[in-house]
Amino acid sequence: MYLTPEAFTFGEYTSGSEGIVGTAKVPSTQVWRVPVGMPLVVALTGKQTATVSSGATESIDLSPEAPLVDFMDDVTAGEYTTDASLVGYYDSTGDGNPDTLITDSTGTQYTGTFGTSEDFITSAELQETDAGGDVDVAFYAVMRHGLTKIQKRNSGKGNVSQELQADDSITWAFSNPDAPDTDRQIKWDARNDGLRGVIPPKFNVDLVFYDASFATAVEEANAENVEVSIPVSQRPVRPDEDAADLRRKVSQNMVAP
């Protein structure tokens, strides 16, 4: 099976320290295992805001720039969906909350002009057509900064965790799960074979993020372009198997030198 965004509970993150931004929990009746060699997808998102003047056409510089991700829709190609690597919203009601998807036909709309540099979107040109006042906009872009990790963590005494996979966020963004013949595909690390790759009942699978300056926005309702597809093998707890003993065995292995 695959752990998708629906499997995770997402939380806030403040830059400057490592933090858990998403958690999936193993059911009490199941044992999960890492299928080494299978491709992974983890693309977290960050938020940036701007204001478009009433009745104006303005180019909004993106900071950080948004990566053009192979496995997501491309807003520069007119794919104005919530599944794009850059998704824009505007405040259509004046309540201070940009929550209306920006397309090429909305009150605040894309003109179709984007700044790009190699594999990144550097700016987006917007036109405000309602002329009812300045409009707040928000962009959700796939993270290009920071480090993103997957870890397993017990839920009992000690709260012990163990890293299973780690890469720079930009490496995650530019991975291609459908291109096994390239060097851009991220796969479950072979070191997760054996007991290291066993995730017992009631354990957690965490998405962990760190960056000194930039924060994620994965917990926000409009961050619909968070992309996660983490393969795990699952089996039921066997009748002759004690789940608590398995948790203790795995936890002891996690802290072993």
Side-chain angles (χ1 to χ4, degrees):
M1 74 171 191
Y2 287 83
L3 302 180
T4 62
E6 291 72 26
F8 287 86
T9 299
F10 291 107
E12 295 182 0
Y13 169 79
T14 302
S15 61
S17 62
E18 186 175 270
I20 295 172
V21 298
T23 297
K25 182 175 284 290
V26 183
S28 60
T29 57
Q30 293 182 7
V31 178
W32 292 354
R33 179 183 288 275
V34 171
V36 297
M38 291 283 289
L40 297 159
V41 170
V42 179
L44 306 180
T45 58
K47 178 183 179 181
Q48 49 190 288
T49 58
T51 301
V52 181
S53 300
S54 178
T57 298
E58 297 177 349
S59 180
I60 308 298
D61 291 330
L62 300 176
S63 180
E65 300 165 348
L68 287 162
V69 179
D70 286 341
F71 53 84
M72 301 178 73
D73 288 345
D74 178 4
V75 69
T76 70
E79 297 173 336
Y80 307 126
T81 73
T82 57
D83 295 321
S85 59
L86 176 70
V87 180
Y89 294 87
Y90 76 104
D91 179 7
S92 62
T93 61
D95 64 356
N97 182 26
D99 58 2
T100 300
L101 181 68
I102 299 173
T103 70
D104 57 352
S105 60
T106 46
T108 296
Q109 59 190 243
Y110 292 115
T111 66
T113 298
F114 294 88
T116 59
S117 176
E118 296 181 342
D119 291 328
F120 296 95
I121 307 170
T122 59
S123 64
E125 188 176 78
L126 299 178
Q127 182 179 20
E128 200 290 305
T129 63
D130 292 332
D134 296 349
V135 175
D136 293 331
V137 299
F139 290 103
Y140 294 84
V142 170
M143 295 298 298
R144 65 166 297 180
H145 292 283
L147 179 72
T148 301
K149 302 195 301 187
I150 304 171
Q151 70 177 20
K152 67 177 181 181
R153 174 172 53 89
N154 71 16
S155 54
K157 184 178 180 180
N159 207 34
V160 180
S161 63
Q162 186 174 46
E163 175 190 304
L164 301 177
Q165 195 88 19
D167 272 292
D168 293 336
S169 297
I170 194 61
T171 304
W172 285 107
F174 286 150
S175 68
N176 188 335
D178 301 317
D181 295 330
T182 72
D183 60 359
R184 298 180 72 170
Q185 190 179 79
I186 296 177
K187 302 176 182 178
W188 270 125
D189 198 308
R191 65 179 174 160
N192 294 311
D193 199 11
L195 194 59
R196 183 187 181 97
V198 175
I199 312 172
K202 297 185 179 180
F203 260 52
N204 303 291
V205 175
D206 297 322
L207 302 176
V208 181
F209 182 79
Y210 169 76
D211 190 77
S213 303
F214 295 98
T216 59
V218 293
E219 82 287 356
E220 297 202 13
N222 288 332
E224 296 184 57
N225 54 340
V226 173
E227 287 286 346
V228 180
S229 182
I230 300 175
V232 293
S233 301
Q234 63 170 335
R235 65 167 176 82
V237 176
R238 295 190 296 263
D240 62 345
E241 190 173 38
D242 187 295
D245 284 344
L246 181 59
R247 284 192 292 271
R248 281 191 292 270
K249 182 179 179 181
V250 172
S251 295
Q252 289 168 359
N253 179 261
M254 289 161 64
V255 299

